[in-house]
Amino acid sequence: RLCLEAFAALGAEWMNIHPDRHTPLHDREFFVQKNLESLRALAPTARALNVGLMLENIPSEFNTPEQLADLLDPLPELGLHLDIGHANLSVRPNATAAILRRFGARLKHVHLHDNKGGDADLHLPLGAGTIDVMACIRAVKATGYDGTITLEVFSPDRHHLAYSRDVLRRIWDEAC
């Protein structure tokens, strides 16, 4: 509740939620149900404060359309926060297009960074990994989304972020 109140005080329209999957000795159904309980408990406060809740895809347990459906289908008011870098982890192929085909109408925000697949969430500059950024941006644009894309390039060298910004601008302008 305190986070929602802080977001509302700042004028934020949406709050990002990472679903939890850390429940040792319990199966997927258990943590899906616990996530749904938590989201349902937050929903009335979010509505009262006029802050939408959006769910971010995370590697392993909530990173395919089918996995995300466990939380998004029962709660149609939830928005989608697509992390394109995450959509390239623990899945083959990259799940961006598939997630957007199913939930693109609910897209509220995008994170973008590169990685090399597998399990390592490297947050590399665009072009330094294996993500087909052009294909992913085309999939984003196909939904009609024209909002903010946050570049999550984790490097002490600010040139990597500036370079990624320039790559994204060029790709966005070229993508059909």
Side-chain angles (χ1 to χ4, degrees), residues 3-18 39 42-43 45-47 49-56 72 75-82 103-111 145 147-148 150:
C3 285
L4 280 167
E5 290 171 353
F7 274 61
L10 292 170
E13 296 177 13
W14 291 92
M15 184 174 94
N16 184 37
I17 305 236
H18 282 204
L39 292 164
L42 286 171
T45 302
R47 276 192 297 276
L49 294 169
N50 213 23
V51 175
L53 301 175
M54 59 182 172
L55 194 73
E56 183 172 342
L72 291 172
L75 300 168
E77 69 273 18
L78 282 180
L80 171 65
H81 179 155
L82 176 67
F103 298 111
R106 294 165 72 171
L107 185 59
K108 303 299 176 195
H109 191 73
V110 176
H111 280 173
Y145 182 79
T148 302
T150 300

Side-chain angles (χ1 to χ4, degrees), residues 138-156:
R138 281 187 178 131
V140 168
K141 287 184 84 168
T143 70
Y145 182 79
D146 192 25
T148 302
I149 297 177
T150 300
L151 288 166
E152 288 193 318
V153 175
F154 296 169
S155 169

Side-chain angles (χ1 to χ4, degrees), residues 92-105:
R92 290 195 71 148
N94 183 299
T96 296
I99 290 169
L100 290 174
R101 276 192 297 276
R102 178 110 182 239
F103 298 111

Side-chain angles (χ1 to χ4, degrees), residues 76-93:
E77 69 273 18
L78 282 180
L80 171 65
H81 179 155
L82 176 67
D83 188 309
I84 293 173
H86 288 173
N88 198 52
L89 298 173
S90 303
V91 293
R92 290 195 71 148

Side-chain angles (χ1 to χ4, degrees), residues 57-58 60-69 90-91 95 98-99 103:
N57 60 301
I58 58 171
S60 297
E61 298 296 340
F62 295 102
N63 207 23
T64 68
E66 298 76 22
Q67 292 169 337
L68 288 166
S90 303
V91 293
I99 290 169
F103 298 111

